[in-house]
Amino acid sequence: MFSRYIIQGDSMLPTFQSGARVFVYRWGAIRKGDIVVFQKNGRLLIKRAVQKVGDRWCLRGDNLKESIEYDNIDRDAIKGRVLFSY
Amino acid sequence: MKTTPIRHFLRFIDEVSPPKIAHAHCDIPCGVYEPDSAMWAVETVEKLTHKLLELKAPEPGSAEYLEYLNTVARAVAVKEEYAEICKRQVLILWTDYFKSEHLEKWPDLHEKVWMATKQCSEVKRTVSEEACAELRKRVSEIAEIFKATKN
């Protein structure tokens, strides 16, 4: 139900610096603006949910210099949403 | 960040069971990785080191002295910056590009990355062409492994 992650990289600046630890909740609906951890090509990534299209989410990092927009991330690939950092 | 009992507790749990890594990178699927950025950074560090070693200090208090200090400060700042870029580029290859199958083939890859990144710190700390040559050697080794993975 809960997971802990360490963020590695700068694409979530200024919200989270590289090395920040986040507490992620796996249940409940994803809402626009949530920061989520998801799996893509076997890797765990962290981005912000910016738009829902059908049952899929468009996710993007907060640091637009670093982040490239994702399209069509299936809801099942989302591991959970960030509740807080610690 | 305010310290609370729950944060203390989670940090304690992290000690026992480390959290997973969630990557926050510019993640184009099958992203473009290359060792050239690290090598260019090495070259810049080499040039700045050479420039610093060539500088002749004028008489303290003379009109040229302040300019000399300014040149030294700028050269050191750029050397620091590019040594850090080199370190970052090597670490990007390590964390994002190299995979477990590469480690099987090059079991000393972790050691090589560790030594290369430590050498980045060494060229920051010193003004030494020998340290730069060592950095070039270590980054070149990683670049060669990278190239070999493409064959």
Side-chain angles (χ1 to χ4, degrees), chain B residues 2 4 30 38 42 44 50-51 62 64 128 142-143:
Chain B
K2 191 179 171 187
T4 62
C30 304
V42 172
T44 305
H50 183 70
K51 183 180 175 69
S62 66
E64 296 80 25
S128 160
I142 294 165

Side-chain angles (χ1 to χ4, degrees), chain A residues 4-12 21 23 37 40-41 43-47 66-68 70 84-86, chain B residues 1 6-7 10-11 13-15 17-30 33 88 95-96:
Chain A
R4 293 161 291 115
Y5 297 93
I6 294 180
I7 297 172
Q8 193 174 80
D10 296 329
S11 75
M12 284 308 290
R21 293 159 192 249
F23 191 73
V37 173
K40 188 176 176 81
N41 296 336
R43 303 179 73 210
L44 289 167
L45 303 165
I46 184 165
K47 304 281 174 183
E66 289 262 333
S67 189
I68 289 177
Y70 273 112
F84 58 86
S85 65
Y86 63 95
Chain B
M1 184 184 295
I6 184 76
R7 288 197 167 99
L10 289 170
R11 289 292 181 125
I13 298 292
D14 287 354
E15 293 293 320
S17 169
K20 292 178 184 170
I21 300 291
H23 296 276
H25 297 293
C26 172
D27 285 297
I28 306 167
C30 304
Y33 298 101
R88 182 171 164 77
T95 57
D96 296 2

Side-chain angles (χ1 to χ4, degrees), chain B residues 81-137:
Chain B
E81 181 187 350
Y82 277 84
E84 188 62 32
I85 288 171
C86 181
K87 185 186 285 187
R88 182 171 164 77
Q89 291 298 323
V90 170
L91 289 174
I92 286 171
L93 292 179
W94 187 42
T95 57
D96 296 2
Y97 175 74
F98 289 119
K99 300 179 179 63
S100 50
E101 60 259 35
H102 299 142
L103 266 177
E104 285 170 19
K105 197 166 179 185
W106 293 278
D108 57 349
L109 182 58
H110 285 336
E111 174 82 7
K112 285 184 186 300
V113 170
W114 185 50
M115 295 307 290
T117 50
K118 283 184 80 66
Q119 195 63 24
C120 291
S121 302
E122 183 67 11
V123 298
K124 283 186 189 181
R125 195 180 62 76
T126 59
V127 184
S128 160
E129 289 185 320
E130 289 75 21
C132 290
E134 184 67 18
L135 178 63
R136 175 173 282 278
K137 181 184 148 214

Side-chain angles (χ1 to χ4, degrees), chain B residues 42-67:
Chain B
V42 172
E43 195 170 330
T44 305
V45 169
E46 286 173 336
K47 282 186 178 168
L48 268 298
T49 300
H50 183 70
K51 183 180 175 69
L52 280 162
L53 290 168
E54 290 283 296
L55 282 174
K56 298 279 184 287
E59 188 70 24
S62 66
E64 296 80 25
Y65 193 64
L66 187 58
E67 196 161 326

